[in-house]
Every structure is written in C-alpha cells, then in structure tokens.
Amino acid sequence: MKLSVKPVGVAVLLLLALSACSSKEDDEPTLPDITNKVEPQEVWSSSVGDGIGHYDVQLKPTIFDNKVFAASRNGEVTAFDLSSGSELWSIDLRDGDDAPLFGGLSHWWNGRSAKIGGAVSVGFDKVLVGTEDGAVFALNPQTGEKVWSVKVGGEVLAAPVAAEGLVLVSTGGGRIFALQPDTGEQRWMHETENGLLTLRGISQVAAANGGVIFGTGNGKVGALISDKGVPAWEEPIALAKGATDLARIIDVDSTPIVHDGKVFAIAYNGQLVALDLRTGREVWKREYASFRAMTLEEDVLYLVDSVGKMYAIDARSGLESWAQLVLHRHFVTAPTVYKKYIVVGDAEGNLHWFDKTNGEYLARHEFDSSGFYAEAVATSEYLLLQSRNGEITLLNLPE
C-alpha cells in the first residue's frame, strides 16, 4: 500500500524562539554565586565523534549490561566498558551506503553525515538508532555488527523503543512504525495529525499493558492497541491559542509516562495532565507547559518547564511539592534523578544539582564549554553525560 504524506509545515527551533524572546529583556539572566555542597568524582571520560555539533538533536547515550552505548550525529556508534571506559567496538554507519564517488571514503571528503537523530536505545539484544533520513539500524551489542537496517517514512528524531514485542519508531511526519525485532519488517503503521507549525522534535512512545502511548504535534495524547496498531483513544491536552504562530504551537514533545494505571503527559503551550490508561479519561490537569522530558520517581513527577523553571509534582494529586526558579530563562536539559538529587545541564556546559526533596540549589560544576542539550543518564551508581561535542563523562557520587 502506498502511503500518502501530509505536509507538516515549518519546523521551529525552540532555542531560537527563546533567544528572540530573551533579547527583548533588558538584562541577561545570570547564575547566582554558590558554595558547592555536592562533589562528584569523575570515573572516566572519552568521546564519540563530533557529537551533535551545532544541531539541536536529543542524542544521548544509554547504559546496558555493563556497557555504555553512544553515538554522534555524523554516524559513529561506539560501545565502552562501563567500569573502565575502554572502547569495546565502534562502527561508522556512513560506511557502505550509496555514496556516488569512491565508496565510503567520499563521506570524509564531502562531510556527509548519517544524521543520527535520536538517543541510542537497547532492546531485544540489539542496539537501536534512527536517522533523520528515515533509516533504523539494529546492531549486535557485543560486536557492533549490523543485524538489520530498514527505511521508514519520515525523520527519526527520537530513540526507537523496544517494547510489547516490537521496535516502535516515531517520526517527524507524525507516523509511528512497529517493526519486527528480528528482521526490521514492518508490522503496522499509524499516522497522526501534525500542526501547521511545530517544534523540531518528537517524543518517544511509551508502551505498557498491551498499549502504545504517543503524543502528537497538534496537542493530543493517544493510545494504540500494540498488536495491530488500532487506535484505542485520543485526547487533547492543549488547544492552540494566542495571537502569533509561535504562541499557537502545542506539540506534545515530552515522552508520556505510564505509571499505576495512569498516563502523565505535558504539552508545549499546553497543560500537564494525568489520564486513565484504559480510557483516556482525565484524572487531573495543571497549568504547566514544557517540551522537555519529565521523570518520575516514587510518585513524584519532576519537570523543567518551557522557560527553565523546575517543579516537583505529586503524581497522585497533581499538587506542587516545590518550585525552583534559579534557572529561569536559561536553556537547560530535562531533569535526571540521581540518588538524592535532581541534575540538569545547561547550554554553557554547567551541571546543576538540586535536592530532590525540597528543590534546594546545592551545586554547579562546569564540565564542557560546548554545552549540554540532552539530559544525563543515571543508574543507581553512576551519572553519564554527553556534551554537544561528543565528550562522554561518567561520574560517581560516593554516599
């Protein structure tokens, strides 16, 4: 069956929009002086290619089976030993494609890029990455060897999700593809409606209890039956309003969170909502807006809103536990829960530490002047960072 492609309008870089808004302010935001109460230790550091460079790409590493898997936008995917940082293997996904001159060597001469567009993920004993050209790759986690690669219809700007017996791929064109994990063969495809003007970014899907939960470019959250891709429900969590096109952007770019029979979702220029997983019925809603990923721990939602303010929200009631405004008007990453702390990075390469119980600002450390775009990755022991220029740093905070 031939798929029809709907025009999705103009992609908007939010950083430019925020900069334009900030330029109207008389004073540039400054960070307060602070005496650090948290001192992490560097376990090791390395690098993967040139990172994302000046592109705004949510490319972050992942940790699995005592290995770190990381990628650069150009096409390098590398595995490191978690404890030592030793490189285990590396593959360049630009090699062996249909470059017109001199095979793989032309990549280096003409600056060609594989355009890896989303975070690295692992599932079904495979390392999974997608590209802005619509390619999805599955690699052997032990050797880096390609297991399969397929083309899907649209930019892959979020990490593929391995769940419900499927590899689930969201694309910038509003399509969700379900692929067979062993071969990459398409099982089903679902197409959603996008707004005329959208942010350049999409959320990963979430999957649980036989359902696939997704956000759309026109402010809706929906659920599909994972076996066939049949819609179960779809609910708006934002309505376009305002006098300008920018004010009317209502993307759901933050990955929905499924927990305790509820779906938690947030929209840019929209609201934070809790929906019933089975029916989509609204449980509660609150006036928060964001395009960054949220995180949930012990019934507390942590989020950074569209202008850099941080909040902790009781997931059961939607009531605010604390608010932290010190990073207002700073371009920061999504929050990461690490041990007793909330950690966010900023565009200047600073890593900020907050007490997760009350939001107290505890520490600021400068790591990389190229800055952070994607959030840190945490385990019970380690905190993993990837900067814009591809620097990988593993931290540990002794108790």
Side-chain angles (χ1 to χ4, degrees), residues 318-383:
L319 297 179
E320 187 175 296
S321 300
W322 54 256
Q324 173 55 264
L325 310 184
V326 70
L327 299 180
H328 180 215
R329 294 175 55 220
H330 290 270
F331 192 84
V332 297
T333 69
T336 299
V337 177
Y338 175 56
K339 297 188 175 182
K340 300 184 293 185
Y341 309 99
I342 301 297
V343 183
V344 300
D346 69 24
E348 304 301 319
N350 297 304
L351 198 65
H352 305 268
W353 299 73
F354 301 87
D355 187 317
K356 72 178 182 181
T357 61
N358 58 23
E360 180 187 357
Y361 190 23
L362 298 175
R364 178 173 68 247
H365 302 281
E366 183 177 347
F367 278 89
D368 194 311
S369 60
S370 70
F372 297 109
Y373 191 77
E375 66 270 22
V377 176
T379 69
S380 59
E381 184 175 3
Y382 297 115
L383 188 71

Side-chain angles (χ1 to χ4, degrees), residues 11-27:
V12 176
L13 293 175
L14 183 66
L15 180 57
L16 297 179
L18 291 178
S19 299
C21 295
S22 298
S23 67
K24 297 180 181 180
E25 302 287 345
D26 294 332
D27 301 316

